[in-house]
Amino acid sequence: MLTTEARQKILAQNDAAAAELRGRFARAGTLVVDLISSPGSGKTSLLEATARRLSKTLRLGCVVGDVATERDAERLRAAGLPSRQIVTGGSCHLEARIVRDALDAARFGELDVLFVENVGNLVCPASFALGEDFKIVLLSTTEGDDKPFKYPGIFSKAAVAVITKCDLLPHVRFDVERAESEIRTLRPDVRIVRTSTADGRGLDAWCDLLSSSLAEKRAARANA
Amino acid sequence: MLTTEARQKILAQNDAAAAELRGRFARAGTLVVDLISSPGSGKTSLLEATARRLSKTLRLGCVVGDVATERDAERLRAAGLPSRQIVTGGSCHLEARIVRDALDAARFGELDVLFVENVGNLVCPASFALGEDFKIVLLSTTEGDDKPFKYPGIFSKAAVAVITKCDLLPHVRFDVERAESEIRTLRPDVRIVRTSTADGRGLDAWCDLLSSSLAEKRAARANA
């Protein structure tokens, strides 16, 4: 197992690179969000639906991390979202330096919103800052309502929680109130959105959340 | 990011501890399986169902890893499966030394089958041997049929793949043939079982697989 010192050194190096990125995004006025969830919770599906709704009015881009394959970037580009795949080759999370290199290679130009779709993993990505405005955790109704307390790291760190696959609620045992109550215990100021990309519920609220966060960031920059 | 040398040192230390455990399990004639999947794929539900079917005829035990909470061990004990919770406190996978300490503390007595329910994570646990006879990967139908190629580490390492939540197939986009084809590409000799703990399908085949694996291990020991 990694020693505490080795772990702290890795995190400190990452924090330095993340601070650089944060400054870059602040100067550009780009809202940056880091999406984290288990494999198969619906990160890519949510971003596909988001691109279809927002890509005409906002300049969007995405860097997406996976252990292997370019599949997610291909799906996102097909949905109209300029995307750069990061193949981590075994690493279970994205780090700030890797995101910076991917952005430099992607040459997106000026962006209003940059999505970082992290590696499918509810544990490790929570510890790594990537210069984002906030982290977003996705929890699908098929994963069970007991997950927030089992993965407190990400659920206490994420400012936004998206409950996905709500169209499947009639077919699974998932108490939305219980899940949301656990999330709020871990993060009292969390904003929670219930969504389904299958029937479209909650996608307006989700897109409004992104647009208003961008407006707030721009207003703060103008007042600075 | 961890250097290659640091990573190899950690894995080598773990391999040594795993070899010790493997010897212990061989002497005891205990079949040991390491269950790995995303959070919420149904590891605990499968073990609950297994305990209900096999605990009258076989001596079963379980060590279960989670980042936080004793929830899974409590569920498993309620289903009649003697279980020891390992709270990893942030670590995203189990290591052999931790499993050994948990076993020493659990005092299960002689076991026919020991289940190791790993931390919910499709990436990191794949690299760590725990003295098991084989690893088992679970993939739920709600996670998407594209996952094997995206997580090749575990799908090439696991000798058994369990497709879970097959009762939800009518409600999700999941091509079982495609998923199984990808799994077989990564691991040609894999044994695949399609299951649902909701309607019971595949559970006989799953339990038979465990019983026959135990019988094979015992026969090999008798002939040694």
Side-chain angles (χ1 to χ4, degrees):
Chain A
M1 192 167 297
L2 213 54
T3 63
T4 305
E5 298 85 57
R7 182 176 161 78
Q8 284 177 341
K9 187 176 168 196
I10 289 170
L11 289 174
Q13 288 172 339
N14 183 74
D15 281 347
E20 257 189 63
L21 274 180
R22 194 178 304 276
R24 184 198 293 201
F25 298 143
R27 289 188 294 279
T30 303
L31 179 75
V32 181
V33 294
D34 176 18
L35 280 77
I36 296 175
S37 79
S38 305
S41 297
K43 294 181 293 300
T44 310
S45 295
L46 183 66
L47 291 181
E48 286 175 320
T50 307
R52 289 196 196 97
R53 285 164 175 258
L54 294 182
S55 63
K56 282 182 190 129
T57 52
L58 294 174
R59 297 165 299 177
L60 308 176
C62 180
V63 292
V64 46
D66 276 295
V67 174
T69 84
E70 286 258 349
R71 286 180 170 179
D72 284 358
E74 286 162 11
R75 281 177 58 188
L76 293 168
R77 286 192 288 261
L81 178 56
S83 296
R84 176 89 185 177
Q85 182 79 49
I86 300 171
V87 177
T88 67
S91 182
C92 55
H93 60 275
L94 292 178
E95 299 189 10
R97 189 172 49 78
I98 307 288
V99 170
R100 181 197 63 206
D101 293 348
L103 283 174
D104 289 345
R107 300 176 174 273
F108 285 131
E110 289 183 19
L111 292 182
D112 296 309
V113 183
L114 172 67
F115 300 100
V116 180
E117 183 185 332
N118 221 307
V119 179
N121 182 338
L122 215 41
V123 185
C124 315
S127 302
F128 289 84
L130 304 174
E132 73 280 356
D133 289 278
F134 49 87
K135 292 191 189 296
I136 298 171
V137 64
L138 280 70
L139 174 64
S140 74
T141 59
T142 58
E143 287 171 70
D145 50 32
D146 62 335
K147 292 301 170 290
F149 279 6
K150 289 179 68 179
Y151 298 88
I154 182 57
F155 283 97
S156 57
K157 196 160 272 182
V160 175
V162 181
I163 312 287
T164 61
K165 308 191 190 185
C166 286
D167 58 292
L168 293 177
L169 279 170
H171 309 293
V172 294
R173 282 181 301 176
F174 185 91
D175 181 337
V176 186
E177 304 295 339
R178 179 193 175 190
E180 294 188 356
S181 165
E182 291 199 355
I183 296 171
R184 289 190 198 286
T185 299
L186 292 163
R187 173 91 185 198
D189 67 342
V190 69
R191 287 180 289 176
I192 301 179
V193 193
R194 301 180 189 181
T195 65
S196 163
T197 57
D199 65 20
R201 84 181 73 176
L203 296 180
D204 284 342
W206 157 250
C207 291
D208 287 349
L209 187 155
L210 292 173
S211 301
S212 64
S213 298
L214 174 63
E216 282 165 29
K217 182 165 188 169
R218 292 277 167 86
R221 187 174 64 150
N223 292 333
Chain B
M1 193 166 298
L2 212 53
T3 62
T4 305
E5 299 85 56
R7 183 176 160 76
Q8 284 177 342
K9 187 175 167 198
I10 289 170
L11 289 175
Q13 287 172 339
N14 184 74
D15 281 347
E20 258 189 61
L21 274 179
R22 194 177 305 276
R24 185 197 292 201
F25 298 141
R27 288 188 294 279
T30 303
L31 178 75
V32 182
V33 294
D34 176 17
L35 280 78
I36 295 176
S37 79
S38 305
S41 296
K43 295 182 292 301
T44 310
S45 295
L46 182 65
L47 291 181
E48 287 174 320
T50 307
R52 288 195 197 98
R53 285 164 177 258
L54 294 182
S55 63
K56 283 181 190 128
T57 52
L58 294 175
R59 297 164 299 177
L60 308 176
C62 180
V63 292
V64 47
D66 276 295
V67 174
T69 83
E70 287 258 348
R71 286 180 171 178
D72 284 357
E74 285 163 11
R75 281 177 59 189
L76 293 169
R77 285 191 288 260
L81 178 55
S83 296
R84 176 88 186 179
Q85 182 78 48
I86 300 171
V87 177
T88 66
S91 182
C92 55
H93 61 275
L94 292 178
E95 300 189 10
R97 190 173 47 79
I98 307 289
V99 170
R100 181 197 63 206
D101 292 349
L103 282 174
D104 289 345
R107 300 177 173 273
F108 286 132
E110 289 182 21
L111 293 182
D112 296 308
V113 183
L114 172 68
F115 300 99
V116 180
E117 183 184 332
N118 221 308
V119 179
N121 182 338
L122 216 40
V123 185
C124 315
S127 302
F128 289 84
L130 304 175
E132 74 279 357
D133 289 277
F134 49 86
K135 292 191 189 296
I136 297 172
V137 63
L138 280 71
L139 174 64
S140 73
T141 60
T142 59
E143 287 171 68
D145 50 31
D146 62 335
K147 293 299 169 292
F149 279 6
K150 289 179 67 179
Y151 297 87
I154 182 57
F155 283 98
S156 58
K157 197 159 270 182
V160 175
V162 181
I163 313 287
T164 61
K165 307 191 191 187
C166 286
D167 57 293
L168 294 176
L169 279 170
H171 309 294
V172 295
R173 282 182 300 177
F174 186 90
D175 182 337
V176 186
E177 303 294 341
R178 179 192 176 193
E180 294 187 357
S181 165
E182 290 199 355
I183 296 171
R184 289 189 199 285
T185 300
L186 292 164
R187 172 93 187 196
D189 67 341
V190 68
R191 286 179 290 175
I192 301 179
V193 193
R194 302 181 187 180
T195 65
S196 163
T197 57
D199 65 20
R201 84 182 75 176
L203 295 180
D204 284 342
W206 157 251
C207 290
D208 287 348
L209 186 155
L210 292 173
S211 300
S212 62
S213 298
L214 174 63
E216 283 164 28
K217 181 165 188 171
R218 294 276 168 86
R221 188 175 63 150
N223 293 334

